[in-house]
Amino acid sequence: MNYNISSKENERFDGVNIDIEPYIAPEFKTKKPSLQRQYLDLLQTFMDRKKAAGSGIYVGAAIPRWYDSSSYAENITWGKSGQETTKWLSQHVQDIVDYISIMDYRDQAEGSAGIIAQAQGEIDYAKEIGKPNSVVLGVETKDIADGGDPEVISFREEGRSYMEQELDKVENAFGNDAAYGGIALHHYDTIRYLPSEWSSDAVYWKPPADSKPPTRITGRLSAVPFDYQSVTLTYGRAYDNQEVEEYRIYRSTTPWFFPNEENYAGSSRGLDFNDTGLLPDTTYFYKVAAVDVNGNTGPVSFLARATTKSTELKPMIIHSASLEFDGSKGNVQLKVVDKETNEGLKADVGGRFTMLSGKYVNINTEPSGEAAFSSESLGNKKGKLGFKVNNVNKPGYYWASAYDENKELTTEWSKQTTPIAEDSYVRSGANGDENYGSSTLLEIKDVLDSISSQYDRVSLLKFNLNSMTQSNVTHASLHFYVDRSVTDSTVSKVPVTLTGLTGDQWSEETVTWNTRPAVTEEASPIGTMDITSKGWYTIDITDYVNKEMDDKIITLQLSDTNGTDRSVKVHSKENDNPAYVEWY
């Protein structure tokens, strides 16, 4: 307010958003409505001062989405003496300020918990009291990995393209509503670097081209030991012709080091950095360099040094860690060890999947120090996934995270689909010379030889994998569609066996039972699936595909080797749901 009064007209702020969150204090619940009333008094004081100053500044308040639904926000009596009214807390706020910005933090527009439904009450009340354009809807784009919040509050995992699709729905719902004031994105840094999607095809914001690096940091780089495993760094700002993006911190145990990726300790957006996970009684040397929004790196600072304090706790580290995508979910394996002895330790590990996923994990390692866990199921054809360890705890130890191996756990994939090239089924006995290559259904059946040899059926699938340019694949799976249920009162399932053959010199137009490719010693037993009902079935064929990468032609045989005497019918390439191979 004072700034606007003392500034020229073209230098003044148009508005201000007051982000006071009284519900963080326990008294918001335990001493209702005292803190609620104090909050309203504060807002009213601000508005009174605005009026007294004759200022036209637009004043708003950030409020959570539940100020019109929580028991801690209902039936709040407030107002001037003799003019008190009892309302929802949100309604009092809307009465006082020029506008509200709802922290309407969800990653979907529709549904009872969605952005639209949770803003409807405030929109309706704004129209009732005659305040046009006074309800702004705030959405979140931050990575909340370290905050303990559920991933559903942020669009971080979904990416910008999905977010804009959901916000289009919000615009369609409220765009013509007089009370609607638009959408606010929280916050500037994270929306700039929110990708269109988490994959190798992601599109990111790009600043104007610039090759001029920022200056060296101003002032003296200071390094002060905080305790046995952390050092606090402070420094003056650097300057750039566009904008300084971050300050990169480099650390070594020798003073003559040259900053590079091997001694990179971390980065900061501000003018301080807390370097943690260090060793006790150890002298560390530091240098800092500013980096601008185009990635240009400025001159490194002069050297600073600090020696950590002592402790009786022993350091432990994550000795090995990996993250792989198996076609449906991310799988992490890691091992916690004593840093000095390399002995595995049973410890508590907490962390969270990042980028495409938001799942939290808290797990106890085995006595060997090993642990394995997975993300939620991810149906994305392409994607990028990470995992960040947030804490490792064990009595008598501390986590010396600066010495972890594999600090950055990430993986990405782009699933490719190869359609079936040829398919057919063949039939035994009197039909041994018949060809069924044009059939819309592939049949699988086995009758015990002691009963008959006339009714067996085997299906053959051929795929041309020449579109694979790599020498091997990370994952490959066969997908096929069963046309109808196979169960009845006497049969609960039909076990169908998948075998990878070596003979590919057959044609769907001519193959018969008597000319089908043989199951030789070189054939690859892949696995058995229990077929019960109509629908899609999937089985991993990675090892077999990699074995056949020389000619990149594969033949798969579907058979029942258990004499179940029930026919399984699978859609052929002449039908609606032909088989395909998915790989990456």
Side-chain angles (χ1 to χ4, degrees):
M1 192 82 69
N2 290 338
Y3 170 83
N4 268 21
I5 292 173
S6 61
S7 299
K8 297 178 182 178
E9 185 175 353
N10 63 347
E11 298 174 341
R12 295 170 187 164
F13 287 109
D14 296 320
V16 62
N17 187 53
I18 303 171
D19 187 5
I20 298 174
E21 302 177 13
Y23 47 85
I24 294 174
E27 291 82 4
F28 191 83
K29 295 181 179 179
T30 60
K31 295 184 178 181
K32 177 194 172 186
S34 175
L35 202 57
Q36 288 84 339
R37 289 173 175 168
Q38 293 177 54
Y39 169 63
L40 296 172
D41 287 341
L42 180 62
L43 294 180
Q44 185 62 60
T45 298
F46 200 101
M47 298 304 290
D48 289 343
R49 291 185 179 180
K50 168 190 168 179
K51 182 178 180 180
S55 173
I57 193 170
Y58 206 48
V59 177
I63 66 171
R65 66 206 314 250
W66 47 266
Y67 268 8
D68 65 342
S69 60
S70 169
S71 60
Y72 299 108
E74 69 176 338
N75 296 325
I76 305 298
T77 301
W78 177 86
K80 294 181 180 179
S81 178
Q83 300 178 26
E84 296 92 344
T85 57
T86 300
K87 300 180 179 182
W88 286 105
L89 185 56
S90 63
Q91 294 176 339
H92 282 303
V93 176
Q94 287 181 266
D95 289 339
I96 297 170
V97 297
D98 297 320
Y99 74 96
I100 59 169
S101 52
I102 306 172
M103 292 180 279
D104 205 355
Y105 295 166
R106 282 298 182 274
D107 59 10
Q108 62 183 47
E110 299 172 326
S112 60
I115 297 168
I116 296 170
Q118 292 297 311
Q120 191 65 60
E122 290 86 347
I123 289 282
D124 292 342
Y125 188 70
K127 289 189 291 187
E128 181 182 330
I129 61 176
K131 283 192 173 181
N133 308 119
S134 65
V135 180
V136 176
L137 309 186
V139 296
E140 182 66 272
T141 62
K142 286 180 63 179
D143 182 0
I144 43 85
D146 298 325
D149 293 309
E151 61 90 12
V152 295
I153 74 167
S154 175
F155 283 107
R156 175 72 176 181
E157 291 77 27
E158 292 80 9
R160 188 162 188 156
S161 294
Y162 170 85
M163 179 185 73
E164 291 181 353
Q165 291 174 8
E166 293 302 293
L167 297 186
D168 282 346
K169 297 175 185 177
V170 176
E171 285 289 325
N172 290 335
F174 293 136
N176 294 323
D177 200 304
Y180 178 59
I183 294 170
L185 300 174
H186 187 251
H187 59 80
Y188 175 67
D189 282 344
T190 55
I191 187 59
R192 280 194 307 163
Y193 295 111
L194 184 68
S196 57
E197 60 180 30
W198 287 108
S199 80
S200 57
D201 297 328
V203 176
Y204 290 84
W205 170 82
K206 290 184 178 180
D210 169 44
S211 59
K212 185 177 180 180
T215 67
R216 179 182 280 114
I217 61 169
T218 57
R220 185 175 67 90
L221 172 62
S222 171
V224 178
F226 179 76
D227 58 15
Y228 58 88
Q229 61 95 36
S230 62
V231 171
T232 300
L233 303 179
T234 56
Y235 40 86
R237 66 170 296 184
Y239 294 86
D240 188 68
N241 61 323
Q242 286 195 21
E243 181 180 352
V244 172
E245 173 64 18
E246 63 182 7
Y247 296 89
R248 292 183 182 171
I249 289 81
Y250 300 91
R251 173 207 328 117
S252 179
T253 53
T254 59
W256 50 83
F257 75 99
F258 181 80
N260 56 38
E261 288 302 314
E262 292 183 1
N263 48 51
Y264 174 69
S267 66
S268 173
R269 289 277 292 160
L271 300 180
D272 57 15
F273 179 79
N274 191 30
D275 191 23
T276 63
L278 306 175
L279 296 179
D281 302 312
T282 303
T283 298
Y284 291 96
F285 299 88
Y286 293 93
K287 295 179 180 180
V288 175
V291 180
D292 68 16
V293 290
N294 277 283
N296 301 308
T297 302
V300 296
S301 69
F302 297 107
L303 195 69
R305 64 186 290 170
T307 302
T308 51
K309 300 178 182 180
S310 301
T311 183
E312 294 183 0
L313 297 174
K314 293 186 287 187
M316 61 181 171
I317 62 170
I318 297 176
H319 173 66
S320 59
S322 64
L323 169 60
E324 294 183 353
F325 184 71
D326 67 5
S328 63
K329 59 187 180 301
N331 299 306
V332 173
Q333 291 183 322
L334 58 81
K335 184 176 182 179
V336 178
V337 302
D338 182 300
K339 183 184 183 302
E340 303 304 324
T341 68
N342 214 33
E343 178 184 358
L345 299 174
K346 185 176 177 63
D348 299 329
V349 177
R352 208 204 90 178
F353 286 92
T354 60
M355 301 179 188
L356 195 57
S357 169
K359 181 182 177 182
Y360 285 90
V361 173
N362 290 288
I363 194 168
N364 297 320
T365 64
E366 299 294 330
S368 63
E370 296 173 323
F373 46 89
S374 301
S375 71
E376 68 271 45
S377 179
L378 301 169
N380 306 65
K381 292 283 186 182
K382 53 186 176 180
K384 189 173 184 180
L385 184 67
F387 185 81
K388 180 182 180 184
V389 178
N390 288 332
N391 55 78
V392 182
N393 298 304
K394 179 178 175 60
Y397 283 84
Y398 77 95
W399 180 26
S401 57
Y403 292 84
D404 285 347
E405 299 178 14
N406 304 94
K407 291 185 176 69
E408 297 292 331
L409 293 183
T410 61
T411 185
E412 61 182 289
W413 64 93
S414 180
K415 293 181 182 178
Q416 307 293 321
T417 299
T418 298
I420 194 162
E422 297 188 72
D423 59 12
S424 182
Y425 77 92
V426 294
R427 182 170 175 172
S428 66
N431 301 102
D433 290 323
E434 294 292 326
N435 172 261
Y436 300 94
S438 61
S439 175
T440 60
L441 292 173
L442 307 174
E443 297 188 19
I444 305 158
K445 186 174 183 178
D446 184 54
V447 180
L448 292 175
D449 290 343
S450 59
I451 298 175
S452 175
S453 61
Q454 298 292 316
Y455 304 107
D456 294 345
R457 299 161 176 88
V458 170
S459 289
L460 299 170
L461 313 175
K462 182 189 290 187
F463 294 89
N464 185 328
L465 304 179
N466 283 328
S467 60
M468 295 181 179
T469 58
Q470 63 268 53
S471 59
N472 59 65
V473 296
T474 302
H475 178 82
S477 56
L478 171 69
H479 301 253
F480 62 91
Y481 188 85
V482 174
D483 186 70
R484 65 199 69 175
S485 173
V486 298
T487 60
D488 56 31
S489 59
T490 59
V491 174
S492 61
K493 62 184 179 182
V494 176
V496 169
T497 297
L498 183 67
T499 305
L501 306 183
T502 56
D504 303 318
Q505 304 304 314
W506 59 274
S507 166
E508 67 177 2
E509 297 177 352
T510 58
V511 69
T512 68
W513 181 273
N514 294 327
T515 64
R516 75 190 192 278
V519 181
T520 64
E521 291 183 357
E522 289 76 26
S524 301
I526 295 174
T528 300
M529 294 159 287
D530 290 334
I531 307 300
T532 57
S533 57
K534 176 180 180 178
W536 285 101
Y537 289 80
T538 303
I539 187 169
D540 189 306
I541 59 171
T542 307
D543 291 342
Y544 170 62
V545 168
N546 284 330
K547 181 180 175 182
E548 295 293 310
M549 288 299 279
D550 287 341
D551 67 354
K552 296 185 178 179
I553 304 293
I554 63 172
T555 292
L556 297 164
Q557 175 181 285
L558 294 168
S559 62
D560 173 11
T561 58
N562 291 269
T564 313
D565 194 13
R566 290 293 184 277
S567 178
V568 175
K569 298 182 185 296
V570 174
H571 279 206
S572 74
K573 69 183 184 67
E574 286 79 20
N575 212 320
D576 294 334
N577 300 297
Y580 63 91
V581 169
E582 190 172 66
W583 54 273
Y584 60 90

